[in-house]
Amino acid sequence: MTPPSRHHQLGAWPLACGRVIPEARISYLQLGELNSARSNLILVPSAYGARVEDLAWLAGPVLAPEQWCIVIAGQFGNGGSSSPSHGAMGLAETGWVVHHSDNVAAQRRLLAEVFAVERPALIYGWSMGAQQAYQWAVQHPEQVERICCIAGTARTSPHNRLFCLSLRQALTADRHWNGSGFDAMPEQGLRTFALIYASWAASQPFFRTVNGSIEAHVEQQWLPHYRRHDPRDLIAMLDTWLAHDVAGGGDLAAALGRITARTALVACSHDLYFPPADLAADACAIPGACLHTIHSELGHRAGNPHSSTAEQLQLRHITRELLQLPTPHLASR
């Protein structure tokens, strides 16, 4: 049985955009116990639209909670950590944009103050979680032993940016959008949002296997996942995705070249968001990085296969192999 999630209070939290979250908080979930040396913590930053409970399935099929202390941390905007739905944050229209450097700073505080850990054994992330793992490794190379970045890149590509903008437009084109929020639930906007998201998140071969109406499939299998969120939170996380760039607009290869962590990048063969070629380019710039490919018709969702054993086994093999490798930091102690 999954334990309940918790919140760590951060106080007044300054963001890179210049705004301050009063009484900020970060949500987290712990699975497994910390060892006496405090050397077995695996940090799992959350993906787009994911609450920390949504990623608890990783404990067992992919990551071993009997050996590792798995800490799943919610990014700002996900509804568990500080988000527009709590009333303490606004959207980009009023100057609020969360950057992954803000999420990483909050996670560092969480690990230091709750677990007395400064250097996780591994940062494991899928999609937007992978973006945060990259950010950690570039921004704080001395504190990161290993990263496993699954179906995510170090900078949001122009094509990926179009996807995010189309989702944002789907919500803000709804008649209930008032310029900085919503006067009522944007039902039509959410339906359009779900159609766009589904068309990218799974592959063309996957949709050929769907029986019956595609519209009904999206209505039943996809729309409920987004309806559970405040639409302002969906927009806030999109803005973080759009702003993602570990080089801050500078030389990406140089930024990735500063990574000293043991690095595994995992591409999904049919991923339309983050195609294998994009991860291969990142791998070329990271010293010693290993690039893996999961061959699956699940598309982007192959990186988060909560209901598919074949992909789970591939991820378990990759992470176990990575965790067995000594790291440069450990070797120098």
Side-chain angles (χ1 to χ4, degrees):
M1 183 174 179
T2 302
S5 62
R6 303 175 185 174
H7 295 95
H8 183 57
Q9 302 301 320
L10 300 168
W13 195 255
L15 298 175
C17 68
R19 297 286 188 172
V20 177
I21 306 174
E23 301 178 11
R25 73 185 195 186
I26 181 171
S27 60
Y28 71 98
L29 180 63
Q30 178 184 350
L31 301 163
E33 298 300 322
L34 199 61
N35 63 20
S36 59
R38 302 185 182 276
S39 61
N40 70 327
L41 190 145
I42 295 176
L43 176 65
V44 181
S46 67
Y48 183 84
R51 305 275 171 75
V52 293
E53 298 88 349
D54 298 333
L55 298 172
W57 74 267
L58 288 165
V62 176
L63 304 172
E66 66 277 8
Q67 182 178 2
W68 302 97
C69 176
I70 304 160
V71 177
I72 306 170
Q75 64 176 307
F76 289 130
N78 80 331
S81 298
S82 292
S83 305
S85 58
H86 303 167
M89 291 169 55
L91 300 178
E93 284 77 4
T94 54
W96 290 82
V97 177
V98 172
H99 293 258
H100 279 317
S101 58
D102 301 314
N103 286 314
V104 167
Q107 292 158 19
R108 291 177 73 213
R109 273 277 298 274
L110 169 70
L111 297 191
E113 295 179 358
V114 176
F115 299 94
V117 170
E118 293 186 353
R119 186 183 288 115
L122 170 66
I123 302 175
Y124 174 105
W126 168 66
S127 196
M128 281 189 81
Q131 294 174 356
Q132 293 165 75
Y134 280 109
Q135 187 74 41
W136 263 92
V138 168
Q139 195 172 351
H140 305 287
E142 75 290 348
Q143 289 189 273
V144 183
E145 299 290 1
R146 305 169 185 86
I147 58 172
C148 185
C149 300
I150 304 152
T153 55
R155 170 186 282 166
T156 298
S157 70
H159 192 242
N160 198 211
R161 183 177 178 82
L162 283 175
F163 162 71
C164 293
L165 290 172
S166 69
L167 291 173
R168 203 181 198 284
Q169 182 71 13
L171 293 174
T172 59
D174 188 275
R175 64 190 179 91
H176 294 301
W177 171 252
N178 61 26
S180 59
F182 296 91
D183 297 321
M185 185 61 71
E187 288 292 343
Q188 185 56 52
L190 284 168
R191 280 191 164 84
T192 305
F193 181 102
L195 285 167
I196 295 169
Y197 215 107
S199 70
W200 282 70
S203 71
Q204 294 94 337
F206 170 81
F207 280 108
R208 287 196 285 270
T209 69
V210 173
N211 295 319
S213 162
I214 289 295
E215 293 87 347
H217 171 77
V218 173
E219 184 87 13
Q220 296 164 11
Q221 302 296 324
W222 296 81
L223 184 57
H225 179 74
Y226 306 116
R227 270 193 177 141
R228 67 180 182 148
H229 290 280
D230 187 301
R232 295 170 297 171
D233 294 352
L234 294 174
I235 291 175
M237 288 182 285
L238 283 175
D239 288 339
T240 301
W241 190 335
L242 284 162
H244 169 58
D245 180 358
V246 297
D251 187 331
L252 181 60
L256 293 176
R258 294 196 293 271
I259 294 177
T260 58
R262 292 283 192 183
T263 299
L265 303 187
V266 185
C268 300
S269 61
H270 288 67
D271 193 341
L272 302 179
Y273 298 162
F274 306 102
D278 288 0
L279 275 80
D282 284 348
C284 286
I286 300 173
C290 292
L291 177 65
H292 307 266
T293 302
I294 294 177
H295 296 278
S296 169
E297 293 185 354
L298 291 178
H300 182 63
R301 296 184 306 153
N304 186 45
H306 52 76
S307 303
S308 186
T309 303
E311 290 82 1
Q312 291 174 6
L313 290 173
Q314 292 179 71
L315 286 171
R316 182 165 65 187
H317 175 75
I318 291 166
T319 53
R320 285 185 176 179
E321 189 176 73
L322 178 62
L323 284 163
Q324 289 171 0
L325 294 175
T327 68
H329 300 132
L330 288 170
S332 63
R333 288 181 197 172

